[in-house]
Amino acid sequence: GAVVSQHPSRVICKSGTSVKIECRSLDFQATTMFWYRQFPKQSLMLMATSNEGSKATYEQGVEKDKFLINHASLTLSTLTVTSAHPEDSSFYICSARSGGTDTQYFGPGTRLTVL
Amino acid sequence: AQSVTQLGSHVSVSEGALVLLRCNYSSSVPPYLFWYVQYPNQGLQLLLKYTTGATLVKGINGFEAEFKKSETSFHLTKPSAHMSDAAEYFCAVRSSTKLVFGAGTILRVKS
């Protein structure tokens, strides 16, 4: 149980385009989803927290207009990187947590490369 | 604010040897602590967690960790390393609704 999927697993795009990454909880309802960014050889940095049906809460320094997060249902959250640039190239990982629990379950990650 | 320090960015052990990955935390409230493992180009998998109760926590793949409040530590151990244990390990502490991660420790297992 507690499986989280991400799609796509890998994406390459041109500078200036937008990319959407999906995060799904497959066998539980995720009242809260988290989006992280991980640079090579570094730890995970939380970008934002989203609760189903409400606006995401962004961490300090994360541009909300650039990283659009939507959590429209209890099993799906999306992260859209708008007008992507090479410096946005990174490994993006989502996690999901159901209400009343302390454990986050992580997706397999999405490798974004912006040319 | 809660924080986590993982001592040693790289640890190398021989196959069959004891694995010890160190984690110290700082928390103003009783901590909830987690260990996750990450294989290359993959997300994180929960190994074990401590919330309340028994201070020795057993997880998957033969790993265990002991919560020591007096030492503010939550070190991860495994009696006998296997080649498949080679990965990066992250210690984390819950801070409000979020997780704060340590910098990670890469475990190398030599044959």
Side-chain angles (χ1 to χ4, degrees):
Chain A
V3 178
V4 176
S5 70
Q6 277 184 246
H7 178 79
S9 59
R10 184 180 297 268
V11 57
I12 301 173
C13 69
K14 293 182 179 180
S15 184
T17 61
S18 294
V19 174
K20 179 183 284 189
I21 302 170
E22 292 186 349
C23 176
R24 294 181 184 272
S25 57
L26 299 184
D27 51 3
F28 67 101
Q29 293 187 326
T31 51
T32 306
M33 286 186 166
F34 304 84
W35 286 96
Y36 295 84
R37 186 173 180 176
Q38 186 180 32
F39 290 104
K41 302 184 187 300
Q42 295 187 28
S43 188
L44 281 73
M45 298 301 295
L46 180 65
M47 298 174 66
T49 303
S50 72
N51 292 297
E52 184 265 338
S54 53
K55 289 185 178 180
T57 301
Y58 290 81
E59 295 299 299
Q60 191 172 11
V62 177
E63 299 175 61
K64 62 180 181 181
D65 293 331
K66 180 167 185 63
F67 299 99
L68 301 178
I69 292 172
N70 183 277
H71 190 169
S73 77
L74 285 171
T75 59
L76 173 65
S77 176
T78 60
L79 166 68
T80 301
V81 183
T82 63
S83 187
H85 288 92
E87 57 266 29
D88 298 323
S89 298
S90 189
F91 194 50
Y92 292 87
I93 305 175
C94 74
S95 71
R97 186 185 70 199
S98 63
T101 69
D102 294 293
T103 302
Q104 293 183 27
Y105 296 94
F106 286 77
T110 297
R111 174 77 58 192
L112 171 64
T113 303
V114 185
L115 303 176
Chain B
Q2 281 74 3
S3 66
V4 172
T5 301
Q6 290 184 241
L7 297 174
S9 58
H10 291 77
V11 170
S12 183
V13 300
S14 298
E15 190 173 20
L18 171 72
V19 175
L20 171 60
L21 304 183
R22 299 178 186 274
C23 172
N24 288 88
Y25 69 90
S26 171
S27 178
S28 57
V29 298
Y32 284 19
L33 296 158
F34 304 80
W35 274 101
Y36 286 88
V37 60
Q38 184 181 32
Y39 297 98
N41 296 310
Q42 294 186 29
L44 276 64
Q45 180 182 8
L46 179 67
L47 278 177
L48 48 80
K49 65 178 180 180
Y50 168 79
T51 54
T52 59
T55 57
L56 181 62
V57 181
K58 294 187 184 298
I60 62 172
N61 301 339
F63 284 94
E64 62 182 36
E66 186 171 10
F67 169 63
K68 293 187 176 180
K69 183 178 179 181
S70 61
E71 299 178 8
T72 62
S73 69
F74 190 57
H75 301 331
L76 182 70
T77 60
K78 181 174 180 178
S80 177
H82 191 272
M83 296 298 290
S84 60
D85 295 327
E88 187 161 16
Y89 293 79
F90 292 95
C91 182
V93 63
R94 190 186 73 171
S95 175
S96 182
T97 61
K98 311 170 190 176
L99 285 178
V100 175
F101 286 88
T105 297
I106 294 174
L107 175 65
R108 178 180 170 227
V109 182
K110 299 175 290 184
S111 59

